[in-house]
Every structure is written in structure tokens, then in C-alpha cells.
Amino acid sequence: MSTGTATVRVELFGVPQLLTGRRQVEVPGRTLREVAGALAREFPALAGSVVDPATGWINGGYLFVVDGRFTRDPSCPVGPESSVLLVSAQAGGAS
Amino acid sequence: MNAVHGRYLHIDLSSGTARAYPLSEDVFARLIGGTGLASYLLYRFCPPGADPLGPENPLVFASSPFIGTGITTASKIAVAAKSPQTGMIGDSLSSSYLALALKRTSYDALVITGQAPGWTVLAVDDGEIRLLPGSDLLGLDPAATAGAVRAELGSGFRVAAIGVAGERGVRYASISNDGRLAGRTGTGAVMGSKRLKALAVRGTQRLPAVADPRGVVRAARELAARSLGPGTAKYRELGTAANLAFFSRLGVLPTRNFQAGTFEAAEAISGERLFLEHRTDKHGCAACTIGCEHHYRTRDAGEAVEVRLEYESLFALGSLCGVSDPNAVLRAAALCDRYGMDAISTGSTIAWAMECVERGVRLPGRPEEWPRFGDAEGLLRTIEAIGERRGLGDLLAEGSRRAAEITGQGSEAWAMHVKGLELPGYDPRKLKAMALGFAVSTRGACHNRSSAYEVDFSDQLDPQAEALAWARAAASSEDRAAVLDSLTVCKFLRHCFSDFFAEAADLFERVTGLPMSADELRLAGERINTVKKLFNIRQGWTRGDDTLPSRLLSGEAGGLTAAELDRLIQAYYRVRGWDEQGQVPPERLRDLGLADLLADGRMMREYA
Ligand code: SF4
């Protein structure tokens, strides 16, 4: 883990949880973009299907929930006190 | 126009006769097909005040222009009847080969009225009908019924069947075909009331040609490719069961009959855990490239059961009843399928009974048999009792609203329904758009006719946004759902379009040859929702029906209050162009192009 940047606790749900085998991880970052990049670096299983290696940002099927607010804003600031969840974007039923 | 036949078949089970009627191009141009067509035929055939379980309630099966075109997921049949749960419109969609078979009969829809003199199998064979004895099928589950019917009639027939619950008039009985369900609103009970154990359809006619075959093939290929992209990743990889743990974390997982929004044992029945410990494989519906149907197997000492499971069954038979044993939840889901009952209404009605027990309310039957929160055995025992309408099950077969009315003792306060339809797995206290969607939905509490939760689960609206913004979002989500249901395209495909209305309109035009713009298609969605609303009004809907259970309106923990919901509903009526009482003014009907289409509400039977 890199130093000099605050650590953010990220709770993982669905596919990210299965890929990492972890329900919760800690990564450095001051914004969601930095968090996404750190997730892909520290958990390579997430690179590709969850975090796009080309952009360093989460794929369209995912979003973050920061302190109860849903967001896909890469510049959203986060810190050690933030509650950050990484979840699949779709809910709902078919019929 | 292309891609439809322009006629439907009316079958009267009482007389055993059938007659074909034309369907004008106008109906498809304005209401598309699928749910729009089924709602229209229901409106025309069902008299005001009809007993939902009486012979005059029509049971409609409708196809759409997209069926048989190769467009992915578009092999769904729309089913509609007056609901025995709500007394209002009951409409369902079910993916199946039956949809394709019906279209190959050279009819766009079947309207079934009357009541057969004895238990019957209705065979529709290219437009010829046969009524065959069905009493030897009584007691069989839907899958076994379909197997027996196909063994007798031939494998070319596709079958929709009811289970024991439909035979015995459980008000939330479903219709099953190819293992998929027309699940909500009790259409299986309507089918049972007609003494119709199964509908078997064989179609061998050519499918009607599409207007632009090359354009349709190209668009269908593109859509199929996109259906395998990020827009459907969750459904393909984990299925909707993945909602459970996340919803619990957010505090919106209905738990112990909506007494809480977080389930302390959520992890034990989470989609992630089920995937690791119980999942066997994955299937898809007819004509679907996505394949979101995940199957799971029990892993306990009992006889192994394998079952398809979605989030709605998982929450209703799990957290809602306080049950944390995944094997019990899987067994409960399999029982619902076997009896042919909607899992949401089954779980919710049992959760109501569990709360009765918790609060010391007397119920029929022996107290030691009453189900209690967290009691897995009690859950399974009660599902069987409901399916067979035995003991306490006979009361619970009526659904939570009627069961509470019969029981009294204040139990109406914890019957968690809207208009008689039990709530699905979204606690609306923290989901403002969904709360409004549940309250105003013509179907009762439903997350499929209004996918307004998408607004709540996004950054589209600031939580402090004005009521009108929430109302616009809820109305537009209903209109998109109505278009999807009428094109009979799966809702799980909705994120595969970059501009849904523009792309779907283009596709509609290529398929049918009828000009259609994005705005016209959006308007068609509103029109379809208005037909449903008019049906409800004619069946006795009043302003007071658009509400939520009082438990959800206490305002506790930052949740919604009754006054807030009222403001949202008033804003919604304004967005729809309705008056303050939610009635549809005549000028709105004219603007929507419905005044002439629906004429003066005369019944179709008068033309027969
Ligand atoms: S996405 Fe799922 S529900 Fe929709 S048609 Fe495909 S398998 Fe059926």
C-alpha cells in the first residue's frame, strides 16, 4: 500500500466481492478515481471486468455509494471517515 | 402494417366456441402490442364490476410485433385479466416459446372468457380449438401438467399451466410456461376459475414478414452483441440475488414484514454466498442471449432440490420472514413453483401471519402450527397449507389484504400491500421515487411496472429535489416500462440502449413499417399506462387507492410521511395531466389519441 495518501475502506458487493474474495478492502485515495485505480492495482482480478485498465475508472455496470449517495463522479472526494461501497449498477426484475 | 396478423381469437369456454375478430393497425400504432394490446382487449371485454373469479372476467394472452423477429429477449407473452387480488388490472409477462407458438397460429392474441363445464385443457392448433378433458391432470404441478399435455398432444404444442394453487383459487396463483411465470396479480387463479388446467398452443403458420428484413437482422445482431456488455453484467454473472446483501447494507431490505430494513443474517442468504455454495448453472428464457436465470441446489441432509431463484423470491421467503437458512429459502421457492404461486405474495402474506403471531392475534388452526419469524419449518409448512387451502392456509390464500380484513384485531395495520398486491423487495421509506411508483401503480405495489428505484439508486436527483422532479422521474419510468412490456422486450435489456426511445422507435419502424419517432413511442408508453388507469377507474378505483401502508409513512428515521407522499402523488397527477382526484379529463384522452380508440367504453361482446 502506498504511503502519504489517506486510506479508504471500500465495501465490495456482488462480482467485486467474488473476484477478490473480500467483503471489505482498504486502498489509498483522495478521490474515487484514485480509489478505483488503487483497487485495480492492488486487486488485479478487478482490472478488466470491474475497472477499465485504459481509463482507470469503473466500468458502466458499477457505481460507488459514498456516505449513502450514489455516484459515478470520479472527482468525488473521499477520506478515511467516508463510507464507500462498490456495487453493481442494476437492480430490478424482468416481468 | 408488417409483423402482425391483425386479428385475435375470442374463445368462450362456456359454449366451447371460438370466433376471430380483426385488430386494426391503429391499435398497434398506438398501443404497440404485448401489454398494450392485452390491456386494450381487457378494457374492451371486461365489464365494470366483473367478479375476477367469475366467467365474465376475460383472460387475455397477447403477442407483439417483435416476437419471432430474432430480437433478443423478445419472446414474451403478455397476460392480462382483472386481478383477484386487487380488483384492478392484473397484467404479467412471461418469457416462453408459447409466445412464438401463438404468433405462428396467425393470431395476435387470445381472449378467453366463460367457464368450462368441467376441468379442461384448451388446445389451440393453428386457430382450430379443441376442449379436452383435464380432470385427470388435477393435483399435478405446472411442469408435470405441461409434460402430460405435450405427451398427449405432441411436442409441437407449447403449454401454459396452473398448479394446485390455481385449481384451488389461491388469489396469487401464477401461470407457468417453460418454467417461467406470469407470476403477479393472480392470473393463475383466474385461469383456475375458468376450470382451465392448461392452455396448449401449436402454430405452424409462417410468421408475418417484417418491413425491413435486413435492417432488423442488423439491429438484432447489434443488440445481441450489446446484451453481453456491461449493461447486463450483474444479471449474467450473479443474477438479481446479488441485491440482497447490498440492500441490507443500505437499509432497504424488507425484513420481518417491513419491521426493519436491515437483516442481521443477510450474509447467510446473500446472492454472493448462494453463488459460492449453492449455484449449479445458468439458463436463459426463449430467444434470450443474456441468460440471467441462475439455478441453485440445496446442500443439506434433506432430499436435494434444484430451483431457479431471483432476488424477489429470496427476500420474500428469506428476510421478510426472518428466515436465514438458505436451504429452507430454496425449498420454499421450489414449493411456490410447484404449487404455482407468486413468491412475493406468498412470503408477504406469511410474514403478515408471523407478525400476527408475534403480536398475539388469534389465527385459525392450531397455535403450534402457526408460523413464526425465523421459523424455516413453519414457513415450508405454511406454503403447503396455502397451496392446498388447508387450515390457516385457507385464510392466507386470500392474500394479506383480505386475510387482515377477515382477521381484524388491528392486523390491517401490518398487511403490506398497495391495492391488494403485496410489496416487492424495496423498502420505500428510504426510496422516494419507488415509494411514489408503488403508490400510483395501476397494478398495485410493483417494481416492474415502475422501475423508479433506478432514480433512487443513482445520482439523477438531489434528495431535496422538488416533488415535481420526482413525479416526472416516476412517470417516465412507468412509460418506459410500458413500452418495453408492449414490445415484449426484457427489462434487463434496457441498459443496452444508449437512447432507448430513439433506438426502440427505429426498431419498431423497421419491424412494422409504421412510422414511429422517439417522442411518439414515449407517448405510446403514456397511452398504455392511461388505458390501464381507465380500466381501474371503470372497476371502481378511487383516489384513496393510491397510497402506501401506514407503517411506511411514519416519517421515522428520515423516512417518508403521509403528507410528503400526498405531495408527490399530487405532483404525479399534474405531470400526467389528471385532476386532483387522479381522474383523467376527456381532453387528456383526446390528446393521447385514446378517446376514439376506446370509444365510449362499450364492451367488445356487444359487437359479437
Ligand atoms: S434477461 Fe433473464 S429474464 Fe430477461 S429474457 Fe433473458 S433470461 Fe429471461
Side-chain angles (χ1 to χ4, degrees), chain A residues 94, chain B residues 73 76 95 180 284-285 288 290-292 490 492:
Chain B
T73 76
K76 291 179 183 276
S95 290
R180 303 294 300 186
C285 298
C288 174
I290 300 171
C292 74
C490 186
F492 291 166

Side-chain angles (χ1 to χ4, degrees), chain B residues 334-476:
Chain B
L335 276 179
C336 288
D337 283 355
R338 197 180 312 153
Y339 281 103
M341 305 192 294
D342 175 42
I344 300 175
S345 289
T346 304
S348 186
T349 307
I350 293 175
W352 167 85
M354 288 172 165
E355 189 165 345
C356 286
V357 176
E358 190 176 74
R359 291 174 181 272
V361 168
R362 268 208 75 76
L363 293 170
R366 297 207 310 265
E368 62 273 22
E369 289 185 350
W370 294 343
R372 288 166 170 77
F373 285 121
D375 167 16
E377 279 306 311
L379 170 70
L380 299 175
R381 196 173 56 238
T382 309
I383 293 173
E384 288 176 340
I386 293 171
E388 289 162 17
R389 268 193 174 268
R390 190 170 22 84
L392 172 63
D394 192 38
L395 173 74
L396 303 185
E398 291 294 306
S400 61
R401 177 170 72 177
R402 278 184 181 74
E405 282 166 7
I406 294 164
T407 303
Q409 306 172 66
S411 66
E412 294 92 337
W414 58 89
M416 303 304 290
H417 66 87
V418 174
K419 303 181 177 80
L421 189 71
E422 288 75 15
L423 274 86
Y426 300 77
D427 189 328
R429 278 171 284 213
K430 288 190 179 171
L431 305 172
K432 214 184 218 180
M434 192 70 264
L436 175 59
F438 283 162
V440 297
S441 172
T442 50
R443 196 195 201 196
C446 178
H447 64 299
N448 280 330
R449 297 297 171 268
S450 163
S451 42
Y453 54 79
E454 282 193 344
V455 180
D456 297 305
F457 292 157
S458 74
D459 54 2
Q460 279 180 47
L461 280 182
D462 186 285
Q464 305 311 323
E466 56 174 18
L468 216 50
W470 293 98
R472 277 196 204 100
S476 108

Side-chain angles (χ1 to χ4, degrees), chain B residues 271-288:
Chain B
E272 293 86 343
R273 184 86 168 262
L274 284 169
F275 181 87
L276 291 172
E277 296 177 6
H278 295 270
R279 202 187 83 132
T280 53
D281 55 4
K282 194 168 75 104
H283 299 263
C285 298
C288 174

Side-chain angles (χ1 to χ4, degrees), chain A residues 9 11-19 21-24 49-50 59-73 82-95, chain B residues 76 92-94 180-181 230-235 237-238 240 242-243 245-247 249-250 267 272 275-276 426 443 447-449 453 456-459 461-463 485 490-492 494-495:
Chain A
R9 197 169 60 226
E11 293 175 57
L12 306 176
F13 291 87
V15 171
Q17 185 183 115
L18 292 179
L19 288 174
R22 311 268 292 267
R23 287 161 66 191
Q24 190 172 293
S49 63
V50 179
N59 289 324
Y62 296 92
L63 43 69
F64 285 105
V65 187
V66 178
D67 298 324
R69 297 282 296 270
F70 287 78
T71 180
R72 281 186 53 84
D73 175 4
S82 305
S83 154
V84 181
L85 320 182
L86 175 59
V87 303
S88 293
Q90 310 96 9
S95 58
Chain B
K76 291 179 183 276
S92 284
L93 273 185
S94 176
R180 303 294 300 186
L181 304 171
T232 61
K234 176 181 141 184
Y235 306 130
E237 289 158 1
L238 255 174
T240 53
N243 290 348
F246 164 52
F247 280 20
R249 175 66 178 80
L250 283 186
E267 208 276 322
E272 293 86 343
F275 181 87
L276 291 172
Y426 300 77
R443 196 195 201 196
H447 64 299
N448 280 330
R449 297 297 171 268
Y453 54 79
D456 297 305
F457 292 157
S458 74
D459 54 2
L461 280 182
D462 186 285
D485 291 347
C490 186
K491 295 208 178 64
F492 291 166
R494 66 191 185 275
H495 295 295

